[in-house]
Amino acid sequence: LETAVPVDQRPATQLKELREAQLYSWAVLETQAYLNRLGVLFLGSFALLGGPIAYQTFDPLKQTAEFFLSGAVGAGFVVSLAVLRIYLGWSYVGDRLLSAAVAYEETGWYDGQTFVKPPEVLTRDRLLGTYEVKPALSRLKTTLLGTGGVLLLSGSLLFGLIASSADTDGVYGRGAARTPRIVSNEGIIYSKNVKSLQDLRGDDTAAAEEAEAQGG
């Protein structure tokens, strides 16, 4: 019934390829397996991308919340992109399954044709589209809404922390100005463990602490 359409361009074949593809098959995994894949992708993205980028701005020991929120935003964005890609693939095949006619190319040389499905093929394809593709798309939509909400919340919290703790120039994180602890005629002291500039002259430990407090 579909002999006019090349095998690899038939909607039912394309659906089979989605089920077997390493990434696109996530849409039809069992719920726990699906969540596990998303979790592994999130953690991997945090470790390899979000975390290292966040580290350039935030000190994990001193700005722990900001560091993790920033890294989580980056990792969550990667997860969202992956889910969006899966969604677009399933949506494309779903549209072809539910449609009464599908476009195809006979030889690949831009000789586009349209195949009108016979009733038997249309019934089969619409059953596949309704009972297999639509549930997968519903799951992916829910995931996109969830990741979008988490990104929005994390971004808002991060923005609030940055806005409330930025220096007078609006800079925050590793590049922000240090706040002096003591300002006197002798000079400025930043370290909490140094009481006067006299302490720095004969105490290498105090000098090192002061240098660290100044960001040196």
Side-chain angles (χ1 to χ4, degrees), residues 177-182 188-193 210 213-214:
R178 272 62 179 179
T179 302
R181 192 177 65 84
I182 298 175
I188 300 174
I189 297 175
Y190 291 83
S191 174
K192 296 179 180 179
N193 299 320
E210 177 63 17
Q214 293 181 20

Side-chain angles (χ1 to χ4, degrees), residues 23-24 79-90 140 144:
L23 179 63
Y24 291 104
V79 172
S80 296
L81 286 180
V83 175
L84 179 60
R85 180 178 178 182
I86 299 171
Y87 177 86
L88 293 176
W90 279 83
L140 295 169
L144 285 172

Side-chain angles (χ1 to χ4, degrees), residues 57-124:
T57 302
F58 305 108
D59 187 335
L61 298 179
K62 298 178 181 178
Q63 299 155 321
T64 306
E66 293 89 333
F67 170 76
F68 280 105
L69 282 172
S70 178
V73 168
F77 184 70
V78 173
V79 172
S80 296
L81 286 180
V83 175
L84 179 60
R85 180 178 178 182
I86 299 171
Y87 177 86
L88 293 176
W90 279 83
S91 179
Y92 170 75
V93 173
D95 289 342
R96 287 175 64 82
L97 285 168
L98 296 173
S99 177
V102 293
Y104 70 96
E105 293 181 0
E106 289 184 314
T107 64
W109 288 90
Y110 304 101
D111 51 351
Q113 303 290 335
T114 299
F115 172 71
V116 179
K117 299 177 183 177
E120 298 87 344
V121 174
L122 180 59
T123 300
R124 181 203 65 194

Side-chain angles (χ1 to χ4, degrees), residues 2 5 9-15 93-102 115-134:
E2 295 177 276
V5 182
Q9 296 182 51
R10 297 173 187 174
T13 302
Q14 292 172 326
L15 176 61
V93 173
D95 289 342
R96 287 175 64 82
L97 285 168
L98 296 173
S99 177
V102 293
F115 172 71
V116 179
K117 299 177 183 177
E120 298 87 344
V121 174
L122 180 59
T123 300
R124 181 203 65 194
D125 284 359
R126 285 186 170 173
L127 285 172
L128 290 172
T130 300
Y131 293 104
E132 185 163 352
V133 176
K134 284 188 175 181

Side-chain angles (χ1 to χ4, degrees), residues 157-178:
L157 290 174
L158 180 61
F159 179 79
L161 288 172
I162 292 175
S164 64
S165 303
D167 63 18
T168 55
D169 295 322
V171 181
Y172 181 75
R174 292 183 184 274
R178 272 62 179 179

Side-chain angles (χ1 to χ4, degrees), residues 23 26 34-50 74-84 86 147:
L23 179 63
W26 290 16
Y34 175 68
L35 294 176
N36 288 343
R37 298 288 179 89
L38 294 180
V40 169
L41 178 59
F42 177 85
L43 293 176
S45 299
F46 186 96
L48 299 176
L49 182 65
F77 184 70
V78 173
V79 172
S80 296
L81 286 180
V83 175
L84 179 60
I86 299 171
T147 55

